[in-house]
Amino acid sequence: MINQIKTIGIIGGGQLGKMLILEAKRLGFKVVTLDPSPVCPCASISDKLIVKGFSDKEGFLELAKESDVITYEFEHIAVALLEMLEAQGANIFPSVQSLKIIQDKLWQKQALQKAKIAVPLFEEVKDLADIESYYNRHQKPFFLKARRGGYDGKGNYFVQDLADCAVGFEKLGGGKIDLMAEEAVDFEKEISVIASRGKDGKMVVYPIAENAHKNSILDITKVPAAVDKKQVPKVLDFARAVLECFEGVGTFCVELFYNSKTGKILVNEVAPRVHNTGHYTIEATRVNQFENHIRAIVGLWLGCTDLVVGAAIMKNVIGDSNGKAKFVGIEKAYDICNTISAHDYGKETVAEGRKMGHYTITGKDIKEVEKVLGKIDIKIINN
Amino acid sequence: MINQIKTIGIIGGGQLGKMLILEAKRLGFKVVTLDPSPVCPCASISDKLIVKGFSDKEGFLELAKESDVITYEFEHIAVALLEMLEAQGANIFPSVQSLKIIQDKLWQKQALQKAKIAVPLFEEVKDLADIESYYNRHQKPFFLKARRGGYDGKGNYFVQDLADCAVGFEKLGGGKIDLMAEEAVDFEKEISVIASRGKDGKMVVYPIAENAHKNSILDITKVPAAVDKKQVPKVLDFARAVLECFEGVGTFCVELFYNSKTGKILVNEVAPRVHNTGHYTIEATRVNQFENHIRAIVGLWLGCTDLVVGAAIMKNVIGDSNGKAKFVGIEKAYDICNTISAHDYGKETVAEGRKMGHYTITGKDIKEVEKVLGKIDIKIINN
C-alpha cells in the first residue's frame, strides 16, 4: 500500500492496460480492470476483470467500489459515467475535466490555443455550408474531422476541393456527429513527446520520438528523433506547456508536427494516457512511461526518463488479415540480434489494422538500429 | 506461440516466479503455477494457479498436462515427481538430472571437482565418528552441512572444536539426514555471477555481483563488484564452466568466494534457477535474468547482458517481525532519488527473515549509488 492506495482500477483491458499492470505489479498493487472482453490482454494478469461494456453503469460502479484510484487506457469514455463516479468520491486520473476537453478535438485545440500553444488552423463547422465556406476562404485541401471518437486516422477525411466537401460531410456522418475543419499542415516529420506529471504539478519529460505511419496507423517510432539540437528544448517545452494547460496527472502523449526548414512546431494532438509512441521507453529509458503513469496517479515522485541506450526503434506488429492470430519470426529475429525485445499482446484473433504486438530494437545509435531493423521480419499471420 | 510453446508451467509461486511471469507475459506466454498458497505472489498474474503441495503427485500431473514446458523457482523439489513427469514426456528445464545433482550439496561439489572447477575442501561424513575424524585431521573450525534442503544459512552449522562436532551432528539431525563437512574458507568477499545457457549450449554471462549478508540472508548486491580487473575474465569463466558442467538450460547463479590478496577463487554454491543476487538485472541490464531464463527454456536466442547503467545496488526488504505486512518508506525514497525502483512481492504476512520485497538504486558509479542508499529507509512493518 502506497499513500493509502492498494488497488488501481483501469478502464480498458487492451495492451496499454496490460503494460500498466506489469509495472503496477512490481510495486505491489492490486489491479481491477473493466473490459467487455473476457479474453482481453489484461484478463490473465488482473486481480479481477469486470466483464462489462464501456457504457455499462453497473460496471463503472463495481470498478469504483473495488478501486482506490481509477485510470484509463483509452480516451473515448463516456464522461457522464466518470462524473457519476467522481460525484461519489472516486479518485480518477487524469482528471475527468481534462479528459472531457481532450476527447473533443475542437475543445482540445481551443484549450491549447487559449494557453498560447501553437496549433494548426482549425474551425468549428456546424453544417455543409460551414465546410464549404471554410474551403472557399482558404482555397486549399484540408482535413474534416469528427470531433470525438476518432483514432488511427478513423474519423478524418481529407477534403480535396469544393465538391469534396459534401463527400466528406456524408462520409463522416455530418449532421449526426459534430465536425471540425483543420489545416493540412506542411510538416517534415511527426514527432511526439511522452511526459508525466504528478499530483504536485512536477513533471518529467521523455526524449523526443520520431514517428512514421502506415495507413494512418503508427508503424515505427525512432528515438532520439532527428531534430535540430537547438530546437530540442523548444519541443520539450511544448510538452510541458500542454501538460500544464490540462493540469494533467499521469502520463500524456503530445504529438507534434515539425518542420526543420521553417522551424515551425505545432501540436497535432494530445492523448491523456500512455501511448504507442512511448513503448520504446520500456527498454530504452530508466523508468518507462507505464511505471511513471502508475507513480503519478498514486502520488509517488516520478522516475528518471533518461535514455539508457544510445538509440531505439519500436515497430508495431499489425494485422493484415482476419482470423486466429499467430506470431511468426520471433525465433529468427532473436537469432539475428540480442538487443531486440518482442511484445505479444496475447490477442487471440487478428484483424486488419489491429495492433497485435510490437518489438523494440536498441543499439548504440540510430544507424546501427536501422541496420538491424532491415533484417527483422516479425509479423502476425492468420492461422 | 514460440517454438510450439504456448504455456509455461512454474513450480513455486514466490517472488522469483512472479518476476518470471512478468517477463513471460511480455512475450505472450500463458503461465500455470503450482503453489500450495492461494495468496502466493504469483496468484494474481498466473493464467492458472494449481493450489497443491510440492509433494502432491496430482498437482504435478495437472501442471504437466497444462504446460508445454516446465521450470521451477526453487531447487528443493522431489526429483521423483519430476522424473515421473519426464517419463511421460514432459519438457523440464533445467534438466531433472542436473537438478538432482545440484540439490545434493555433496554431489554438486563432486561434480564441480570432477569438472576441475575449484571448490572448498569437502568430505562426505556418514556419522559422528566421520565428523570427529574430519576435525582431528584438519584441526580447525569447519562447516557441517545438511546435504539437501538448506537455504539462507539454514542447514549449516559452524563446528568450532572437537566437542562441537556432536552438537552440530545433533542440531542438523545427523543420523536421519545426510551430512557433509566443508572447509571454512578465508574469503575476502562473496561474489556471484548470473549466467544463462540455451538449449543449444550457447551462453550469456552477467557482470559480477558483490554480495553482503545479514544473519546468513542476502542483504545487498552491488554491481559492478570491486574485483581486480585482471581477475574478471577468470571469474566469468568459472560461471561458464559451471553451466557447462551441469549442461544447464536456463538461468543459473554461481556463488563464489573471492580473495583479492591470494587471488583465490572458489565456487561456493550453484543455484539452478534465477537468483536473488540477479535482481539488479531488471533495472541495470538490457535483458534481465528472468527474461533470459524464459528465452532459454522456450528455445529462443539469449539477450544482451550488458549493464545499461554505471552501477546498481539491490537491497532486500526482509521481515523482522510477524504479522500483517505493511511496506513503509517508498514515498520518501522516491522523493529522494529518481533512479530507485521498489519491488513489493505482495506477500500478505510478514515473518522474521522472510523476503518481502527489494529495491534497486542505479547511478553513474558505486560511490554515487552508495550515497543514495545511505539515505533510503524502505522497510516492512507488522501492521
Side-chain angles (χ1 to χ4, degrees):
Chain A
M1 186 182 288
I2 291 166
N3 291 325
Q4 303 306 312
I5 292 165
K6 191 176 176 180
T7 305
I8 297 170
I10 302 179
I11 302 169
Q15 63 269 18
L16 298 173
K18 179 182 174 181
M19 291 183 265
L20 282 171
I21 295 175
L22 292 177
E23 299 308 326
K25 282 287 157 194
R26 292 204 192 278
L27 272 164
F29 291 107
K30 292 192 182 298
V31 179
V32 179
T33 308
L34 172 71
D35 195 279
S37 165
V39 294
C40 65
C42 290
S44 77
I45 52 170
S46 299
D47 289 76
K48 186 177 174 176
L49 179 70
I50 300 169
V51 184
K52 293 244 163 78
F54 295 129
S55 48
D56 184 320
K57 192 179 152 184
E58 294 310 314
F60 277 72
L61 288 170
E62 193 179 340
L63 185 73
K65 207 179 142 193
E66 303 263 357
S67 311
D68 301 308
V69 62
I70 293 173
T71 189
Y72 39 87
E73 58 134 33
F74 69 111
E75 57 272 48
H76 305 305
I77 304 169
V79 162
L81 290 174
L82 295 179
E83 284 172 337
M84 169 190 77
L85 300 186
E86 215 170 34
Q88 295 179 357
N91 295 306
I92 304 172
F93 297 106
S95 78
V96 182
Q97 181 55 23
S98 63
L99 176 64
K100 194 174 175 173
I101 297 167
I102 292 170
Q103 69 179 201
D104 184 311
K105 286 179 182 171
L106 178 71
W107 292 351
Q108 182 190 124
K109 287 268 156 61
Q110 285 171 336
L112 292 168
Q113 198 170 50
K114 206 178 149 193
K116 300 190 171 21
I117 296 164
V119 292
L121 291 175
F122 68 93
E123 197 171 295
E124 183 175 6
V125 287
K126 291 196 168 159
D127 50 29
L128 181 55
D130 276 358
I131 299 170
E132 291 177 338
S133 151
Y134 183 92
Y135 183 82
N136 284 329
R137 275 176 287 131
H138 295 91
Q139 291 289 334
K140 60 179 180 185
F142 68 97
F143 282 104
L144 194 62
K145 292 185 170 185
R147 283 170 51 184
R148 293 182 204 88
Y151 69 97
D152 288 349
K154 291 183 185 79
N156 288 358
Y157 182 85
F158 187 56
V159 178
Q160 311 261 9
D161 53 35
L162 186 62
D164 213 17
C165 290
V167 180
F169 182 75
E170 188 67 29
K171 277 223 167 166
L172 294 184
K176 284 160 288 182
I177 65 157
D178 298 331
L179 300 174
M180 66 184 287
E182 192 176 286
E183 167 192 17
V185 175
D186 175 29
F187 62 94
E188 183 197 357
K189 53 182 75 180
E190 201 197 280
I191 56 176
S192 62
V193 180
I194 304 286
S196 309
R197 186 174 172 275
K199 291 180 186 177
D200 56 3
K202 284 180 182 148
M203 277 184 263
V204 292
V205 182
Y206 286 89
I208 307 170
E210 186 175 337
N211 306 309
H213 293 73
K214 251 187 200 168
N215 306 320
S216 299
I217 303 173
L218 181 68
D219 178 34
I220 276 176
T221 296
K222 292 183 188 183
V223 180
V227 167
D228 184 353
K229 263 193 182 173
K230 283 175 289 182
Q231 300 276 34
V232 169
K234 199 171 153 188
V235 173
L236 301 181
D237 279 345
F238 261 89
R240 286 189 195 96
V242 168
L243 264 71
E244 200 56 55
C245 153
F246 293 111
E247 292 177 0
V249 171
T251 294
F252 278 58
C253 175
V254 182
E255 292 185 274
L256 306 113
F257 295 125
Y258 172 74
N259 195 320
S260 65
K261 283 156 218 147
T262 61
K264 207 172 178 182
I265 303 165
L266 299 171
V267 171
N268 172 26
E269 214 165 83
V270 177
R273 56 167 171 84
V274 288
H275 196 265
N276 197 166
T277 63
H279 287 359
Y280 79 89
T281 63
I282 296 174
E283 287 83 13
T285 65
R286 176 59 184 85
V287 173
N288 67 49
Q289 65 163 347
F290 303 99
E291 183 176 342
N292 266 335
H293 185 72
I294 299 293
R295 290 190 188 203
I297 66 169
V298 303
L300 282 177
W301 189 264
L302 303 174
C304 173
T305 56
D306 291 351
L307 282 180
V308 290
V309 293
I313 297 182
M314 188 288 315
K315 185 170 165 70
N316 272 336
V317 179
I318 293 168
D320 59 2
S321 60
N322 299 287
K324 212 178 151 210
K326 189 185 174 183
F327 256 88
V328 292
I330 292 182
E331 296 87 340
K332 206 180 152 196
Y334 277 42
D335 244 22
I336 291 170
C337 170
N338 72 350
T339 55
I340 180 169
S341 299
H343 298 244
D344 174 349
Y345 303 153
K347 296 177 183 177
E348 292 188 353
T349 54
V350 57
E352 258 178 84
R354 192 174 194 202
K355 291 176 180 171
M356 303 300 292
H358 77 268
Y359 51 93
T360 299
I361 307 166
T362 62
K364 70 175 201 298
D365 55 39
I366 281 286
K367 261 197 182 166
E368 183 189 282
V369 179
E370 276 173 342
K371 220 169 144 184
V372 175
L373 181 70
K375 297 181 205 162
I376 302 296
D377 189 23
I378 294 177
K379 59 189 175 191
I380 195 92
I381 60 167
N382 152 15
N383 187 36
Chain B
M1 187 181 292
I2 290 166
N3 292 326
Q4 303 307 314
I5 292 166
K6 191 176 176 179
T7 305
I8 296 170
I10 302 178
I11 302 169
Q15 63 270 17
L16 298 173
K18 180 182 174 182
M19 292 183 263
L20 281 170
I21 295 175
L22 293 176
E23 299 307 325
K25 282 287 155 194
R26 292 204 191 279
L27 273 163
F29 291 106
K30 291 190 183 299
V31 179
V32 179
T33 308
L34 171 70
D35 196 279
S37 166
V39 293
C40 64
C42 290
S44 77
I45 53 171
S46 300
D47 289 76
K48 185 177 175 177
L49 179 69
I50 300 170
V51 184
K52 292 244 162 78
F54 294 129
S55 48
D56 185 320
K57 192 178 151 184
E58 294 309 314
F60 277 72
L61 288 170
E62 194 179 340
L63 184 74
K65 205 177 142 194
E66 303 263 357
S67 311
D68 300 308
V69 62
I70 293 173
T71 190
Y72 39 88
E73 57 133 34
F74 69 111
E75 59 270 47
H76 305 303
I77 305 169
V79 163
L81 290 173
L82 296 179
E83 284 172 336
M84 169 190 76
L85 300 186
E86 215 171 33
Q88 294 179 357
N91 295 306
I92 304 172
F93 296 107
S95 79
V96 181
Q97 181 55 23
S98 64
L99 175 64
K100 194 174 175 171
I101 297 167
I102 291 169
Q103 71 179 200
D104 184 313
K105 286 179 182 170
L106 178 70
W107 293 351
Q108 182 190 124
K109 287 268 156 60
Q110 285 171 337
L112 293 168
Q113 198 170 48
K114 206 178 148 191
K116 299 190 172 18
I117 295 165
V119 292
L121 291 176
F122 68 92
E123 197 171 294
E124 183 176 5
V125 286
K126 291 196 168 160
D127 50 28
L128 181 56
D130 277 359
I131 300 170
E132 291 178 340
S133 152
Y134 183 92
Y135 182 82
N136 284 329
R137 275 176 288 130
H138 295 91
Q139 290 290 333
K140 59 180 181 185
F142 68 98
F143 282 103
L144 193 62
K145 292 186 171 185
R147 283 169 52 184
R148 294 183 202 88
Y151 68 97
D152 288 348
K154 290 182 185 80
N156 288 358
Y157 183 83
F158 187 56
V159 178
Q160 311 262 9
D161 52 35
L162 185 63
D164 213 18
C165 290
V167 180
F169 183 75
E170 189 66 29
K171 278 223 167 167
L172 294 183
K176 284 159 286 179
I177 66 157
D178 297 332
L179 300 175
M180 66 185 286
E182 193 176 287
E183 166 192 19
V185 176
D186 175 30
F187 62 93
E188 184 195 355
K189 52 182 77 177
E190 202 196 278
I191 57 176
S192 62
V193 180
I194 303 287
S196 308
R197 186 174 173 275
K199 291 181 187 178
D200 56 3
K202 284 181 183 148
M203 278 183 263
V204 292
V205 182
Y206 286 89
I208 306 171
E210 185 175 337
N211 306 309
H213 292 74
K214 251 188 201 169
N215 307 320
S216 300
I217 304 173
L218 181 69
D219 178 36
I220 277 179
T221 297
K222 292 184 187 183
V223 180
V227 166
D228 184 354
K229 263 193 184 173
K230 283 175 288 180
Q231 300 276 35
V232 170
K234 200 171 153 188
V235 173
L236 300 181
D237 279 345
F238 261 88
R240 287 189 194 95
V242 168
L243 265 70
E244 200 55 55
C245 154
F246 293 111
E247 292 177 358
V249 172
T251 294
F252 278 57
C253 176
V254 182
E255 292 186 273
L256 307 111
F257 295 125
Y258 172 74
N259 194 321
S260 67
K261 283 156 217 146
T262 62
K264 207 171 177 180
I265 303 165
L266 299 172
V267 171
N268 172 28
E269 213 165 83
V270 177
R273 55 168 172 84
V274 289
H275 196 264
N276 197 166
T277 62
H279 288 358
Y280 79 90
T281 63
I282 296 174
E283 287 83 13
T285 65
R286 175 59 184 84
V287 173
N288 67 49
Q289 64 163 349
F290 303 98
E291 183 176 343
N292 266 336
H293 184 73
I294 299 294
R295 290 190 188 204
I297 66 169
V298 303
L300 281 177
W301 189 262
L302 303 175
C304 173
T305 56
D306 292 351
L307 281 179
V308 291
V309 293
I313 295 181
M314 187 285 318
K315 186 171 164 70
N316 272 335
V317 180
I318 292 169
D320 59 3
S321 60
N322 299 288
K324 212 179 153 211
K326 190 185 176 184
F327 257 87
V328 292
I330 292 182
E331 297 87 341
K332 206 181 151 195
Y334 277 41
D335 244 22
I336 291 170
C337 170
N338 72 348
T339 54
I340 180 169
S341 298
H343 298 244
D344 175 349
Y345 303 152
K347 296 177 184 177
E348 293 188 352
T349 54
V350 58
E352 256 178 83
R354 193 174 193 200
K355 291 176 180 171
M356 303 299 293
H358 77 267
Y359 51 94
T360 300
I361 307 165
T362 62
K364 70 175 200 299
D365 55 39
I366 281 287
K367 262 198 180 164
E368 183 189 281
V369 180
E370 276 173 340
K371 220 169 142 183
V372 175
L373 180 70
K375 296 182 204 159
I376 302 297
D377 189 24
I378 295 178
K379 59 189 174 189
I380 195 91
I381 60 167
N382 153 15
N383 187 35

